[in-house]
Amino acid sequence: KRDKGAGGEEKMMMHHATSSRPRGPRVRHPHPLRTDRARRALALGATTSGRYASRSRKPDAELLSWAKSKGAQPMDVFSLREDEETGVRGVYTKRALEADSIVCEVPRKLALEVTTAKTKCPVDGLDQEFWNKCDWWGKLACLLLAELQKGDSSPLKAYLDALPEAIPTPLHWTPEQLEMLQYRPLVDEVDKQREVWHGLYDRYCSASSARPLPTREAFVHAIECVRSRTFSGPYEGSNWETRIKQYGLVLVLAVGYVLGGFGEAYQAFNGALVVFLTILFRDLLVQRNPRSIRYVLCPVLDMFNHRSDVESDPSYEYFRNTFTLTLSKPVAENQEVCINYGKRGNDELMQYYGFVVPDNRHDSYTLSGFLDKAADVMRAEFSQEGGEGLAAKRLEMLSGTDTDVVVVRPKRLGLTGRALQALRVLVSTEEELRGRAALLDFGTKVSDANEALALRLMRRVCERELEEVLPTTKEEDEKALANLSGMGQDLSQVEVKMQALRFRIQKKRVLETYIESQV
């Protein structure tokens, strides 16, 4: 979420974007990535908002035609099609696109939108209290379900029909399949996700008087659509078209004030000017409030796939009342147009999108049970000055400090300050502990020797995680993935295993990169 730019545009952020769909033709998984070209795309972090899209071309063409008829532009420049080698649907341009120019513009009236502002529930038959308590993604899911229930009468039918049918995320995996991730933090997050989403459905059924109610599967899928396709950005409190109407009303009142003999023209002018400026400045102030946010499902703009080497700016144009997309780099004719979904680690990308980005610099590895693992390394490999008594004193200082879970990032300074403090405590001598009674007392470097020993301990904990805790090595996973990729089968079970392998390979690379940075 970023501040307002020149020309009245408000920068927005892509929340998530893999395709998902409760309607439309049956979907097929794409063939595994087998060609050099596909592997190069994957290496660049090429992922998709249409990976499991319908193979029917008709809804895609109808979407662009419909969007054009409603004022979106320039729809004639784009085509939605599948890559013949990867089976991935994407947006392609028929002519070269210049850098730093608006490549797509969609009227706001075509989008589904909610904001952090308190509003009346727009869904017929839905309890206001339920609406007020919903998170933004729950509200957008309710709006999407309302459109889906309208069927052919929905003004967004072309958009709804063009969306893919499902997102193959871990949400739909069995417990056995989740264990293939070899990563408890994500498994726990998926379990929590299921509990929250299904609980929301139960409350929705109690809060809605509409009949028939959507199925649990349709409700959950609507949330998936929202979590994987939404843009967010500052909300200014209104739009220019609404303000024009208000300005017009003020102008009519000002003219009536003069013609009715209630005062002088200059008084009417001054009063109208004050109202104009007050309205405009209010919008600007509300827009700059970090708590004032809009969340948007926008046709066409949410069809672009992701590439990690691309910079993109989805924005709201206040004076035009449209959503636009700008790219920082040019795109050649007949090439796919991609955007960047933002600074997201592979945990979030896998959970909500169903893919991972290779060598993702925003990725991390969460070490659970860190204190026990560190204590084991200390006992086995480090000299224990002070014996068990000193070791117990260190652990007592760390009790209740939330340092048993440590996040490691793939860079030299890949630890949080809190994690580094805990490491300093764990390797401290009796003398270094003297006069220090709390974790915050280790907020700065104690000594060169202590700092070196702390980083060495962390490196060994990570090495042990790779060698002894994780059941397979990265090389074994890469070999298994290569074998599956060469099978040429289009089976969901195979695809799930390939997803799990890609994910855990990247997690192991995070640890390896951190270890290498400490040498």
Side-chain angles (χ1 to χ4, degrees):
K1 299 176 275 287
R2 294 191 287 178
D3 287 341
K4 198 166 188 176
E9 80 276 11
E10 294 162 4
K11 306 302 182 181
M12 306 188 74
M13 180 178 70
M14 183 66 188
H15 261 268
H16 335 288
T18 296
S19 312
S20 43
R21 230 349 340 221
R23 305 165 48 111
R26 183 176 179 274
V27 295
R28 282 183 67 208
H29 295 281
H31 292 292
L33 303 178
R34 295 187 293 271
T35 65
D36 290 339
R37 176 186 170 195
R39 291 191 181 95
R40 284 195 300 271
L42 185 61
L44 286 171
T47 48
T48 173
S49 68
R51 181 171 184 175
Y52 297 92
S54 160
R55 291 189 180 274
S56 169
R57 303 293 178 85
K58 185 178 179 181
D60 297 343
E62 289 181 347
L63 170 65
L64 297 179
S65 298
W66 167 79
K68 178 182 178 181
S69 70
K70 300 298 182 180
Q73 55 182 326
M75 294 298 101
D76 291 336
V77 172
F78 299 119
S79 65
L80 280 166
R81 67 173 189 264
E82 291 181 0
D83 185 286
E84 295 180 357
E85 298 179 356
T86 65
V88 171
R89 183 181 66 169
V91 180
Y92 290 78
T93 179
K94 300 175 184 178
R95 62 171 172 79
L97 301 176
E98 297 180 359
D100 299 319
S101 61
I102 294 177
V103 300
C104 186
E105 184 173 23
V106 180
R108 182 186 181 193
K109 64 184 179 182
L110 302 185
L112 295 176
E113 176 184 348
V114 297
T115 72
T116 51
K118 193 171 183 179
T119 59
K120 181 181 177 182
C121 179
V123 180
D124 292 339
L126 192 60
D127 182 67
Q128 181 68 45
E129 184 178 358
F130 172 83
W131 176 263
N132 292 341
K133 291 182 178 179
C134 270
D135 288 317
W136 65 266
W137 47 266
K139 292 178 179 179
L140 262 182
C142 290
L143 291 180
L144 180 59
L145 281 168
E147 290 301 321
L148 289 168
Q149 290 176 319
K150 293 177 183 177
D152 293 345
S153 64
S154 170
L156 302 178
K157 183 178 184 300
Y159 170 58
L160 301 176
D161 287 344
L163 294 172
E165 194 173 58
I167 307 176
T169 63
L171 180 70
H172 307 287
W173 293 7
T174 65
E176 293 75 18
Q177 290 172 329
L178 286 172
E179 288 303 316
M180 290 192 297
L181 293 169
Q182 298 180 0
Y183 194 65
R184 176 51 53 182
L186 181 54
V187 175
D188 291 342
E189 282 298 314
V190 172
D191 288 341
K192 180 181 177 181
Q193 176 187 2
R194 287 172 176 164
E195 181 180 354
V196 171
W197 289 13
H198 287 284
L200 185 63
Y201 175 72
D202 293 336
R203 295 193 296 276
Y204 171 87
C205 291
S206 300
S208 177
S209 61
R211 293 295 182 272
L213 289 168
T215 65
R216 184 178 298 271
E217 291 74 17
F219 182 86
V220 168
H221 188 73
I223 301 177
E224 286 188 286
C225 291
V226 168
R227 290 306 304 258
S228 64
R229 310 185 70 83
T230 302
F231 291 88
S232 70
Y235 173 60
E236 74 298 324
S238 67
N239 61 71
W240 187 243
E241 291 178 354
T242 300
R243 290 314 187 206
I244 286 293
K245 294 177 182 178
Q246 292 178 335
Y247 292 156
L249 177 60
V250 171
L251 185 61
V252 169
L253 292 175
V255 172
Y257 179 83
V258 175
L259 296 180
F262 298 104
E264 300 294 332
Y266 77 90
Q267 294 175 318
F269 174 79
N270 289 339
L273 182 60
V274 168
V275 173
F276 291 163
L277 294 177
T278 299
I279 291 174
L280 183 59
F281 286 137
R282 175 188 174 276
D283 284 350
L284 293 175
L285 289 173
V286 170
Q287 181 268 329
R288 292 186 181 278
N289 181 354
R291 296 184 179 180
S292 184
I293 305 169
R294 60 156 43 93
Y295 300 93
V296 180
L297 276 176
C298 186
V300 183
L301 258 64
D302 64 0
M303 293 291 178
F304 293 92
N305 293 334
H306 168 79
R307 278 181 69 114
S308 57
D309 62 338
V310 170
E311 293 182 12
S312 56
D313 266 331
S315 306
Y316 172 63
E317 295 283 346
Y318 179 79
F319 295 109
R320 295 174 62 84
N321 200 24
T322 60
F323 295 108
T324 63
L325 177 64
T326 304
L327 301 179
S328 63
K329 296 181 180 179
V331 181
E333 181 181 353
N334 294 323
Q335 295 299 305
E336 184 179 6
V337 184
C338 294
I339 63 175
N340 193 311
Y341 294 171
K343 299 177 181 179
R344 308 190 184 282
N346 283 332
D347 294 50
E348 183 179 356
L349 292 174
M350 174 60 81
Q351 182 178 0
Y352 294 113
Y353 300 79
F355 65 77
V356 296
V357 172
D359 299 317
N360 185 351
R361 62 192 179 95
H362 305 297
D363 203 8
S364 62
Y365 188 99
T366 300
L367 277 166
S368 302
F370 169 72
L371 294 180
D372 287 340
K373 292 174 181 178
D376 289 343
V377 172
M378 290 288 292
R379 282 190 293 267
E381 304 180 21
F382 287 61
S383 60
Q384 292 288 297
E385 296 182 8
E388 291 297 325
L390 180 58
K393 184 177 180 181
R394 295 163 176 158
L395 291 176
E396 183 181 356
M397 183 179 290
L398 294 174
S399 63
T401 58
D402 297 327
T403 54
D404 201 35
V405 176
V406 169
V407 176
V408 181
R409 300 192 183 280
K411 54 186 178 181
R412 178 168 177 77
L413 302 177
L415 302 176
T416 63
R418 199 168 185 80
L420 195 52
Q421 291 170 21
L423 287 164
R424 290 167 182 155
V425 172
L426 288 169
V427 299
S428 60
T429 64
E430 185 79 52
E431 182 180 351
E432 289 168 341
L433 280 176
R434 192 173 297 119
R436 294 182 170 92
L439 187 63
L440 290 177
D441 294 330
F442 289 82
T444 57
K445 184 167 67 172
V446 176
S447 67
D448 290 341
N450 177 278
E451 197 78 359
L453 203 58
L455 294 176
R456 177 187 160 202
L457 172 60
M458 189 67 220
R459 186 174 72 247
R460 283 302 297 140
V461 171
C462 291
E463 288 172 345
R464 275 202 170 193
E465 187 82 3
L466 288 170
E467 296 165 0
E468 302 176 15
V469 177
L470 297 174
T472 60
T473 67
K474 187 191 72 175
E475 290 71 26
E476 290 170 339
D477 291 344
E478 289 174 335
K479 183 177 180 180
L481 180 59
N483 290 337
L484 288 174
S485 298
M487 291 174 63
Q489 298 185 29
D490 198 20
L491 303 174
S492 60
Q493 289 294 328
V494 172
E495 181 61 33
V496 166
K497 189 169 184 179
M498 290 175 68
Q499 283 180 279
L501 284 166
R502 292 186 187 113
F503 177 81
R504 68 198 205 200
I505 286 171
Q506 295 307 315
K507 287 299 167 186
K508 290 165 187 174
R509 283 185 180 172
V510 170
L511 292 177
E512 288 183 348
T513 302
Y514 174 78
I515 292 168
E516 291 168 359
S517 72
Q518 303 303 311
V519 177

